[in-house]
């Protein structure tokens, strides 16, 4: 099924009140069912009232989404909602106390699902993390198994307003998420509502190469300040939330085995159920692929333009040194164990352990640059135009000199040769990898406990978690650095909240605390930049980030047409010592059963990564892994400095959403948003000469200058060297409109489509910042943020057969550094219960597919008045592509679903 056909989500509002005097024996249950995304009521949904896992009453919703159960005795109940196109939901803990006059209970249902996805049931209103006051998009994790999508980040990137940014063309390389054009590090990543991975704007950010692909029932993106209500996360962009499986009422088991091209293998299983008062959800998944590079020897001819001494070198020895095994191997594993236990009708406890690990061979995942012939020809042409002669130093110390040609060390009689620009460009055209035996492992271990307790008509929630996220890198020992390094983020937090449902209000309040420790170390470094020996494990500088938040919220429903939401947070940072008031307000109006209007807005903040505040000055002494930036006046960052005076980012956003249902199967929704950011954190460079560094060894400086000269041929000086730093840049504006359509074309065919216009730009930029960062243009669209995107999906289902075809358009200004492009994913499934065979195809037409990132062939990024680059060659803009077509068969055994 198409991803966008699952963006709808149902909100169940169950209002219980006694129609007679206090102390009456029986109660009437009134409720309404809405689609959370559009706010439209859901007619013809089946509602089951259950006690002790037995159905005691059944009804259906009317055209306005309402339903009613009369003559209900005080006791504990469960309510299950079933609607076509939505995932069924079972709400446990609906307790009607004797004498109850007014009682309100609210929850949210998960999106629609399919046979490959375990259906889950929530057990408490306190687990609801989405409300009508937020703008949220939803993705069905089951689509990853169907359409051969390996990473959740790539799936989320198909949602309107979400961009998946990968670091290269490879299937397993680093990946991030950008929401509405904000920087990826301004996005919070959550698991079951609480933060995971690195926290802090312009920091490390969450790597979606280790994002979960199995053991999930839901994946959602909440935009802007609406995400603050999810555990009080500090984010101005929004939040991605992965929701793990829950126990089912009856035992259910799923086993899946997949095989495909690119050496793909997939194994998954899950088991859910309830025994007495104990519920369980267990899941395990592992997938692996060789990606775009089956293990092979690759001659890195793009590296022959500069050897260890910075000279062009095509000798057999240098060719052999730059020929090594390359693989795009990528493995990803998920483990989940969740247990729920009901101590009594009012108290339940839930414990979850989740582990994700990924492993990539970086020789083919990220280290896959390519120097094309036209780029080399341009660079060598510039070199010969600026120099009368070129030279190299021979092994005996003598110098080989060439006039109006390029000097190369070679195996000729004299030990060197003179070549024209075209000859030199041809010899050095090809792959330019980062070196052999380079590996990265990412891991995320998360432990979560939640206690819920009904006290009278209120519900108390006590929630705590510990998350251990780490990245481990291995590289072969070199002159300055080698061995392995480990970057670790240990996060813990707790939430205490109380929910008080009344006849027309749903009040809640509480507090949230979180702390993150960022530690790490490296091993087998030879020397520091001053030549001092380093032995054994060398610890990194430690950083800590903590905050305390208090909140109060209310949902007021004066009548069946209107709802008012208020979510108020007071958040104090222990790092920047700033207290932020982050409110969010929303008004929802339903003039008819087929129309919904929602106006919402709020304020939020993002905390700077503590390393940006407190890190000691650093310099990268590993010249071998340095990729120069060419162009007139270009500055190459060789280290970084912090700034203790940085302030948190703040943003105010507003959304206006209108949804209309034309027929029972066609919905159209429009969302217009506007957000303004202040004190935006922006990574930039600072000239090395402005830092005050005076003890940098000449060998390090010369090493960088030699490599820049070898690649750029521009006679660089120290003016071409810089360090990275971070600025509170200026203000930024984010505006857009999203149009979405869902239509049931026939009984067997569904259509979903969306169109997104997204504008992001900085304004009031300081001239000094623009001078040092020439691609910053005051009022200009930011880079790698497409102005236009669109998606169209078809979903067909007829008896035992089903299929999907989803096409996606990404406009210019994208992370691939190319013009606009289309790509498509598809699937077809055949079911003979309990088995389902699925064929999934990713990038059906091999759209803009590429193994390498081609230096100099990317799109030219406009520069401000201080920039001097004339074209993409000067900028060394790298043209990326999508992975080549992936094809995978998956055979699934499913013991069945239960109500």
């Amino acid at each position: 099924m198409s991803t966008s056909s699952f963006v709808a989500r149902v909100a169940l509002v169950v209002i219980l009140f006694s129609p007679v005097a206090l102390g009456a024996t029986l109660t009437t249950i009134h409720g309404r069912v809405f689609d959370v995304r559009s706010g439209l009521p859901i007619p013809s949904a089946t509602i089951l009232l259950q006690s002790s896992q037995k159905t005691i009453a059944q009804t259906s919703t009317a055209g306005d989404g309402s339903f009613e159960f009369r003559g209900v005795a005080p006791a504990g109940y469960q309510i299950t909602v079933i609607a076509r196109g939505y995932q069924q939901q079972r709400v446990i803990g609906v307790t009607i106390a004797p004498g109850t006059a007014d009682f309100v209970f609210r929850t949210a249902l998960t999106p629609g699902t399919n046979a490959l996805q375990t259906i889950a049931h929530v057990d408490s209103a306190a687990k609801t993390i989405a409300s009508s006051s937020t703008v949220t998009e939803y993705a069905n994790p089951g689509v990853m198994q169907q359409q051969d999508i390996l990473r959740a980040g790539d799936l989320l990137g198909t949602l309107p307003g979400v961009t998946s940014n990968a670091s290269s063309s490879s299937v397993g390389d680093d990946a991030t998420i950008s929401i509405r054009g904000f920087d990826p590090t301004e996005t919070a990543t959550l698991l079951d509502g609480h933060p995971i991975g690195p926290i802090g704007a312009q920091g490390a950010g969450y790597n979606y190469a280790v994002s979960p692909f199995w053991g999930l029932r839901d994946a959602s993106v909440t935009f802007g300040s609406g995400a603050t209500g999810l555990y009080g996360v500090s984010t101005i962009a929004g939040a991605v939330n992965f929701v793990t499986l829950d126990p089912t009422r009856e035992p259910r088991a799923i086993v899946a085995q997949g095989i495909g091209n690119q050496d793909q293998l997939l194994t998954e299983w899950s088991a859910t159920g309830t025994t007495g008062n104990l519920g369980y959800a267990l899941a395990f998944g592992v997938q692996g692929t060789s990606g775009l590079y089956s293990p092979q020897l690759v001659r890195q001819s793009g590296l022959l333009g500069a050897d260890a001494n910075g000279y062009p070198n095509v000798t057999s020895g240098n060719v052999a040194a730059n020929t090594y095994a390359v693989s795009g191997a990528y493995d990803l594993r998920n483990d989940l164990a969740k247990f729920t236990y009901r101590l009594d009708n009012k108290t339940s406890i839930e414990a979850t352990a989740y582990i994700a690990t990924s492993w990539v061979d970086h020789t083919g995942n990220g280290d896959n640059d390519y120097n094309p012939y036209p780029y080399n020809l341009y660079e060598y042409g510039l070199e010969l135009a600026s120099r009368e002669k070129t030279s190299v130093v021979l092994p005996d110390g003598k110098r080989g000199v060439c006039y109006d040609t390029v000097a190369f060390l070679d195996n000729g009689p004299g030990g060197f040769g003179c070549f024209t620009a075209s000859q030199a460009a041809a010899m050095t055209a090809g792959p330019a990898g980062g070196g052999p035996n380079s590996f990265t492992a990412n891991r995320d271990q998360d432990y979560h406990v939640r206690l819920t307790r009904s006290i009278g008509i209120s519900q108390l929630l006590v929630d705590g978690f510990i998350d251990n996220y780490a990245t481990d890198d291995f590289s072969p020992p070199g002159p300055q650095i080698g061995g392995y390094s480990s970057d670790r983020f240990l996060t813990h937090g707790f939430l205490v909240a109380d929910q008080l449902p009344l006849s027309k209000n749903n009040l809640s309040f509480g507090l949230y605390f979180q702390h993150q420790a960022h530690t790490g170390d490296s091993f087998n470094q030879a020397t520091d930049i001053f030549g001092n020996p380093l032995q054994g494990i060398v610890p990194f500088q430690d950083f800590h980030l903590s905050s305390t938040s208090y909140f109060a919220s209310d949902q007021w429903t004066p009548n069946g047409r209107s709802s008012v939401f208020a979510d108020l947070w007071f958040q104090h940072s222990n790092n920047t010592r700033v207290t932020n008031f982050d409110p969010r307000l929303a008004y929802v109006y339903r003039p008819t059963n087929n129309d919904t209007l929602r106006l919402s807005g709020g304020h939020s903040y993002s905390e700077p990564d503590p390393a940006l505040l407190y890190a000691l000055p650093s310099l990268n002494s590993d010249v071998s892994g340095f990729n120069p930036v060419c162009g007139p006046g270009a500055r190459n960052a060789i280290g970084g400095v912090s700034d203790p005076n940085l302030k948190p980012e703040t943003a105010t956003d507003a959304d206006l959403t209108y949804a209309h249902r034309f027929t029972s199967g066609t919905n159209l929704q429009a969302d217009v948003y506007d957000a303004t950011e202040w004190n935006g954190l922006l990574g930039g460079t600072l000239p090395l000469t402005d830092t005050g560094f005076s003890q940098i060894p000449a060998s390090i400086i010369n090493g960088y200058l030699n490599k820049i000269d070898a690649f750029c041929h521009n006679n660089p000086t120290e003016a071409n060297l810089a360090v990275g730093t971070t600025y509170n840049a200026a203000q930024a504006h984010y505006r857009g409109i999203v149009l979405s359509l869902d239509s049931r074309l026939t009984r067997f065919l569904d259509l979903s489509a969306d169109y997104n216009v997204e504008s992001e730009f900085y304004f009031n930029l300081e001239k000094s910042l623009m001078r040092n960062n020439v691609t910053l243009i005051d009022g200009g669209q930011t880079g790698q943020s497409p102005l236009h995107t669109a998606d169209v999906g078809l979903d067909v289902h007829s008896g035992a057969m089903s299929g999907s075809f989803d096409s996606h358009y990404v406009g210019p200004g994208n992370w691939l550094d190319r013009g606009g492009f289309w790509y498509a994913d598809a699937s077809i499934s055949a079911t003979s219960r309990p088995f389902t065979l699925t064929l999934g195809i990713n990038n059906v037409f091999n759209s803009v597919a590429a193994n390498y990132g081609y230096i100099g062939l990317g799109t030219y990024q406009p520069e401000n008045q201080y920039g001097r680059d004339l074209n993409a060659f000067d900028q060394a803009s790298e043209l990326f592509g999508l992975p080549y077509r992936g094809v995978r068969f998956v055979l699934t055994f499913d013991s069945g679903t239960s109500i």
Side-chain angles (χ1 to χ4, degrees):
M1 289 186 173
S2 66
T3 300
S4 50
S5 67
F6 293 105
V7 296
R9 191 178 181 107
V10 179
L12 170 64
V13 181
V14 184
I15 305 175
L16 299 89
F17 64 92
S18 173
V20 293
L22 186 67
T25 303
L26 300 179
T27 299
T28 298
I29 300 176
H30 299 272
R32 297 184 74 183
V33 179
F34 298 100
D35 182 308
V36 161
R37 184 170 182 260
S38 67
L40 294 170
I42 304 298
S44 303
T46 300
I47 313 296
L48 306 178
L49 181 65
Q50 299 166 319
S51 178
S52 301
Q53 300 184 5
K54 295 181 180 180
T55 300
I56 61 176
Q58 178 175 331
T59 188
S60 299
T61 56
D64 63 353
S66 64
F67 68 89
E68 181 180 85
F69 290 113
R70 293 182 177 272
V72 179
Y77 295 96
Q78 303 89 44
I79 295 179
T80 298
V81 184
I82 307 170
R84 185 175 185 264
Y86 302 95
Q87 191 180 95
Q88 68 180 37
Q89 191 69 285
R90 179 166 170 248
V91 182
I92 301 173
V94 180
T95 303
I96 302 178
T100 298
D102 297 288
F103 187 84
V104 179
F105 190 84
R106 296 175 175 87
T107 190
L109 299 185
T110 52
T113 189
N114 55 75
L116 296 180
Q117 175 76 11
T118 300
I119 293 179
H121 306 280
V122 299
D123 61 1
S124 168
K127 293 177 65 174
T128 299
I129 60 170
S131 72
S132 297
S133 66
T134 66
V135 178
T136 306
E137 294 284 352
Y138 302 88
N140 175 20
V143 174
M144 289 190 288
Q145 282 71 39
Q146 287 182 316
Q147 296 185 345
D148 196 13
I149 299 174
L150 302 183
R151 306 182 299 189
D154 298 324
L155 173 67
L156 294 171
T158 64
L159 297 177
V162 182
T163 302
S164 177
N165 302 294
S167 297
S168 74
S169 307
S170 299
V171 297
D173 199 13
D174 300 334
T176 58
I177 289 294
S178 174
I179 297 178
R180 287 182 173 175
F182 283 85
D183 188 85
T185 63
E186 294 164 343
T187 295
T189 303
L190 316 175
L191 183 72
D192 289 332
H194 66 262
I196 58 175
I199 301 173
Q202 293 296 328
Y206 183 85
N207 190 346
Y208 283 79
V210 73
S211 56
F213 71 98
W214 186 247
L216 296 178
R217 68 169 174 86
D218 189 15
S220 64
V221 178
T222 300
F223 296 89
S225 60
T228 301
L230 313 183
Y231 277 68
V233 294
S234 63
T235 171
I236 59 174
V240 173
N241 186 42
F242 298 113
V243 183
T244 56
L245 294 178
D246 285 312
T248 51
R249 189 186 63 172
E250 297 178 358
R252 183 183 184 190
I254 294 179
V255 179
Q257 181 65 52
I259 187 171
N261 68 338
Q262 300 174 8
D263 301 320
Q264 291 188 78
L265 286 176
L266 168 73
T267 301
E268 302 167 331
W269 66 263
S270 65
T272 60
T274 301
T275 301
N277 291 333
L278 178 67
Y280 59 90
L282 306 173
F284 167 79
V286 58
Q287 62 178 345
T289 175
S290 63
L292 305 181
Y293 301 90
S294 297
Q296 57 191 285
L297 289 176
V298 175
R299 175 181 171 178
Q300 308 289 334
S301 53
L303 300 178
L304 302 181
D307 62 13
N309 297 313
Y311 297 117
N313 188 334
V314 291
T315 63
S316 57
N318 195 46
V319 170
N322 287 286
T323 302
Y324 51 80
V326 172
S327 170
Y330 171 51
D331 295 325
L332 182 60
R333 297 172 181 266
N334 288 169
D335 299 276
L336 171 71
K338 177 184 289 186
F339 298 95
T340 61
Y341 188 77
R342 299 191 62 80
L343 301 175
D344 51 45
N345 287 335
K346 297 182 178 180
T347 309
S348 65
I349 188 170
E350 177 182 278
T352 304
Y354 167 82
I355 300 175
T357 58
S358 68
W359 180 91
V360 299
D361 185 338
H362 261 293
T363 58
N365 285 285
D367 293 345
N368 58 344
D369 295 334
Y370 191 103
N371 290 338
Y373 173 81
Y375 172 70
N376 287 355
L377 182 62
Y378 179 81
E379 294 297 331
Y380 283 119
L382 290 180
E383 180 181 17
L384 295 180
S386 62
R387 300 182 183 184
E388 179 183 354
K389 62 181 180 180
T390 61
S391 63
V392 292
V393 176
L394 302 173
D396 60 5
K398 295 181 180 179
R399 187 172 291 273
V401 180
C402 296
Y403 292 89
D404 297 322
T405 52
V406 183
F408 272 75
L409 292 170
D410 66 8
N411 294 115
F416 78 100
C418 299
F419 301 91
T420 65
S422 60
Q423 291 173 325
M427 290 190 299
T428 58
N437 302 319
S438 176
F439 308 99
T440 295
N442 298 286
R443 47 195 167 94
D444 191 5
Q445 301 166 344
D446 191 88
Y447 307 95
H448 185 195
V449 176
R450 172 178 287 152
L451 173 70
T452 56
R453 168 74 176 176
S454 297
I455 304 175
I457 63 172
S458 70
Q459 188 171 56
L460 176 67
L461 169 69
V462 179
D463 189 293
F465 70 92
I466 297 175
D467 185 77
N468 184 12
Y469 175 98
T471 298
D472 303 310
D473 290 305
F474 172 84
S475 59
Q480 278 79 36
I481 190 170
Y484 74 78
S485 63
S486 182
D487 210 17
R488 300 184 291 272
F489 298 83
L490 180 62
T491 311
H492 67 272
F494 66 84
L495 172 72
V496 178
D498 195 18
Q499 186 180 40
L500 184 64
L502 302 174
S503 59
K504 294 185 177 181
N505 295 79
N506 188 24
L507 300 172
S508 60
F509 52 89
L511 65 88
Y512 171 66
F513 170 82
Q514 72 178 20
H515 175 268
Q516 181 170 95
H518 179 190
T519 64
D521 51 54
S522 62
F523 182 77
N524 199 29
Q525 284 183 307
T527 63
D528 62 17
I529 64 170
F530 305 110
N532 300 318
L534 297 172
Q535 301 295 331
I537 294 178
V538 179
F540 294 159
Q541 183 180 354
D542 290 349
F543 301 101
H544 297 270
L545 183 151
S546 61
S547 62
T548 304
S549 306
Y550 305 89
F551 72 92
S553 62
D554 183 31
Q555 176 181 329
W556 178 43
T557 309
N559 52 58
R561 297 296 183 189
S562 300
S563 297
V564 179
F565 302 82
D567 197 13
L568 311 177
W569 284 84
F570 292 88
Q571 300 178 295
H572 177 75
S573 165
N574 294 335
N575 289 62
T576 56
R577 303 189 182 279
V578 173
T579 299
N580 293 276
F581 174 53
D582 295 325
R584 184 167 182 86
L585 304 174
Y587 174 68
V588 179
Y589 178 59
R590 303 177 182 89
T592 71
N593 292 339
N594 295 318
D595 296 275
T596 298
L597 181 69
R598 176 177 58 201
L599 176 63
S600 61
H603 182 273
S604 57
Y605 86 106
S606 279
E607 187 73 356
D609 183 281
L612 305 180
L613 299 168
Y614 314 125
L616 299 174
S618 65
L619 291 173
N620 176 21
S621 58
D622 183 16
V623 180
S624 63
F626 165 68
N627 291 318
V629 177
C630 302
R635 289 195 178 98
N636 287 266
I638 64 171
V641 295
S642 61
D643 183 354
N645 298 314
L646 290 178
K647 302 175 182 178
E649 302 170 315
T650 60
T652 301
D653 60 82
D655 282 83
L656 178 62
T657 304
Y658 173 71
H660 177 74
R661 177 165 45 217
F662 293 94
T663 67
S664 60
T666 301
N667 297 336
L668 177 66
Q669 179 170 316
D671 176 38
V672 180
Y673 67 87
D674 184 283
T676 302
E677 176 186 3
W678 289 271
N679 293 320
L681 294 171
L682 189 65
T685 59
L686 186 67
L688 187 64
T689 53
D690 291 351
T691 63
F693 292 156
S694 60
Q695 297 180 338
I696 304 176
S699 59
I700 298 296
I701 298 294
N702 291 334
Y704 279 105
L705 296 180
N706 287 340
K707 189 158 189 180
I708 295 172
D709 192 38
F711 275 80
C712 305
H713 317 296
N714 57 355
N715 298 313
T717 66
E718 287 194 33
N720 295 99
L721 300 180
V723 294
T725 190
T726 306
Y727 302 87
N728 282 122
Q731 297 178 1
H733 226 131
Y734 303 83
R735 298 170 176 170
I737 181 170
V738 180
L739 300 176
S740 302
L741 173 70
D742 292 283
S743 180
R744 189 174 304 160
L745 299 179
T746 70
R747 180 181 177 185
F748 307 109
L749 183 63
D750 295 331
L751 167 70
S752 60
D754 60 70
Y755 173 66
N756 180 39
V757 180
E758 186 176 286
S759 171
E760 309 86 27
F761 58 90
Y762 290 98
F763 58 98
N764 294 336
L765 290 168
E766 294 183 4
K767 291 184 178 180
S768 61
L769 179 62
M770 297 173 62
R771 186 177 294 109
N772 293 331
N773 302 272
V774 296
T775 57
L776 289 180
I777 300 177
D778 203 303
Q781 179 84 352
T782 59
Q784 296 191 350
S785 184
L787 184 63
H788 301 280
T789 59
D791 306 278
V792 178
L794 290 174
D795 182 10
V796 61
H797 40 85
S798 177
M801 302 296 295
S802 64
S804 65
F805 182 86
D806 294 324
S807 58
H808 312 283
Y809 171 74
V810 182
N814 50 72
W815 70 268
L816 295 179
D817 274 335
R818 61 169 62 238
F821 62 93
W822 285 89
Y823 70 99
D825 305 322
S827 72
I828 184 170
S829 298
T831 299
S832 177
R833 295 189 180 278
F835 294 99
T836 298
L837 179 63
T838 300
L839 169 63
I841 308 176
N842 185 255
N843 196 7
V844 176
F845 304 110
N846 270 336
S847 303
V848 298
N851 279 37
Y852 294 97
Y854 294 90
I855 305 293
L857 299 188
T859 55
Y860 172 76
Q861 187 170 346
E863 297 181 348
N864 60 38
Q865 63 268 33
Y866 302 104
R868 292 186 289 169
D869 293 322
L870 302 178
N871 49 50
F873 286 160
D874 287 341
Q875 292 180 335
S877 177
E878 189 165 2
L879 178 70
F880 292 104
L882 297 175
Y884 281 90
R885 180 190 302 114
V887 179
R888 183 171 64 187
F889 289 91
V890 179
L891 179 64
T892 302
F893 168 84
D894 187 347
S895 66
T897 61
S898 63
I899 296 175

